[in-house]
Amino acid sequence: MTVILIADDEPRLAEHLASRVAQLWPGATHLLTAGNGLEAAALLVAHRPDVAFLDIRMPGLTGLQVAQAASDTRVVFVTAYDEYAIAAFEHAAVDYLLKPVSDARLAQCVARLQREARPQAGLADLLARLPAPGASAHLAWLTVGLGDTTRLVAADEVVYFEANNKYTDVVTATERHLIRTPLKALLPQLDGSRFAQIHRAFIVSLPAVARIHRDLMGRQQVFLKSRSEVLPLSRSFAGRFRQM
């Protein structure tokens, strides 16, 4: 069974590409479609498709960001991106399709996919070097484990991060997950306009802060909108909150 994922924020383009791929690849028994980057990443993790056609410019996550989770999946970038990126794709032997996708080029791509079933060896290195078009390098989502299940948590859902020995707790409004990245290594990957360190053991989402309270001893605490925990605010990190 061959599972194929097609991700494009233009529904008609995604449906059209899916129908064309189905005609060219009769063995493709399961076609998945996604309308944005977050949905594509979730399908990629949940279904581990054999092939993923990823539009580079998508809301939520770009195709390049989605591809970071594609360790067992052959990736084809569908793009109108510039010549620098195309040259990089070719150098790394990464498949790509330029919009508008011609029938001949798509047939050539499908034939190559059928002939070479293993994921591209140079993909991870390419993604580490190539910036996403028009997107920041900030962490947009986290891969977390829940029992035997792996799922995605969008950075926008996180209320705060808490150091847990060498690991980090990721806390949302309703859940708590453990990731293997230490808090110190996580901080540079976060959007500084959204997240702030408030203590050596805590990073908080600024939109999640309800108020800052100072007690009679001068100690400051962070109250949250969606959770009952009260977090400590160290003096060394308090400057950002003086206007709150």
Side-chain angles (χ1 to χ4, degrees):
M1 184 176 81
T2 301
V3 179
I4 296 177
L5 168 64
I6 296 175
D8 197 306
D9 61 340
E10 294 286 345
R12 291 183 180 179
L13 292 180
E15 292 174 5
H16 183 57
L17 182 58
S19 66
R20 294 166 69 191
V21 169
Q23 291 175 355
L24 292 167
W25 200 330
T29 54
H30 198 20
L31 285 168
L32 308 169
T33 58
N36 59 63
L38 286 172
E39 184 182 349
L43 290 173
L44 192 67
V45 171
H47 295 276
R48 298 186 179 276
D50 300 284
V51 178
F53 290 84
L54 303 176
D55 184 19
I56 286 187
R57 296 182 183 272
M58 291 187 291
L61 296 173
T62 69
L64 299 179
Q65 291 170 320
V66 173
Q68 292 175 9
S71 59
D72 300 321
T73 298
R74 180 102 190 189
V75 173
V76 179
F77 291 114
V78 184
T79 178
Y81 203 17
D82 60 35
E83 294 180 0
Y84 160 69
I86 296 302
F89 293 162
E90 291 176 340
H91 179 72
V94 173
D95 290 310
Y96 68 92
L97 296 170
L98 281 174
K99 293 181 177 182
V101 181
S102 70
D103 291 337
R105 181 66 184 88
L106 181 60
Q108 181 185 44
C109 176
V110 169
R112 181 181 179 184
L113 292 169
Q114 292 172 321
R115 185 173 63 251
E116 303 171 11
R118 301 177 65 181
Q120 302 93 322
L123 179 60
D125 179 62
L126 171 67
L127 295 173
R129 293 184 288 105
L130 188 65
S136 70
H138 300 139
L139 191 66
W141 53 274
L142 303 101
T143 303
V144 301
L146 187 63
D148 295 328
T149 302
T150 300
R151 52 169 296 201
L152 296 174
V153 174
D156 289 350
E157 297 178 28
V158 177
V159 175
Y160 68 90
F161 298 95
E162 181 179 0
N164 187 340
N165 294 320
K166 295 181 179 180
Y167 303 129
T168 299
D169 284 329
V170 179
V171 183
T172 69
T174 58
E175 298 176 328
R176 179 182 288 261
H177 305 279
L178 186 69
I179 60 174
R180 295 180 178 273
T181 306
L183 198 72
K184 185 177 180 179
L186 182 65
L187 181 60
Q189 302 179 55
L190 300 174
D191 184 350
S193 67
R194 184 178 185 90
F195 292 95
Q197 187 163 15
I198 58 172
H199 183 275
R200 60 184 177 83
F202 292 94
I203 297 171
V204 71
S205 168
L206 297 175
V209 174
R211 67 184 189 276
I212 308 296
H213 176 73
R214 183 191 300 269
D215 65 17
L216 295 176
M217 301 296 293
R219 294 171 298 196
Q220 297 184 82
Q221 298 174 310
V222 177
F223 286 76
L224 304 167
K225 296 176 182 177
S226 60
R227 294 191 66 96
S228 61
E229 299 97 300
V230 179
L231 309 182
L233 174 57
S234 298
R235 291 182 179 179
S236 56
F237 298 109
R240 185 166 187 176
F241 296 87
R242 284 175 185 152
Q243 303 301 318
M244 293 188 69

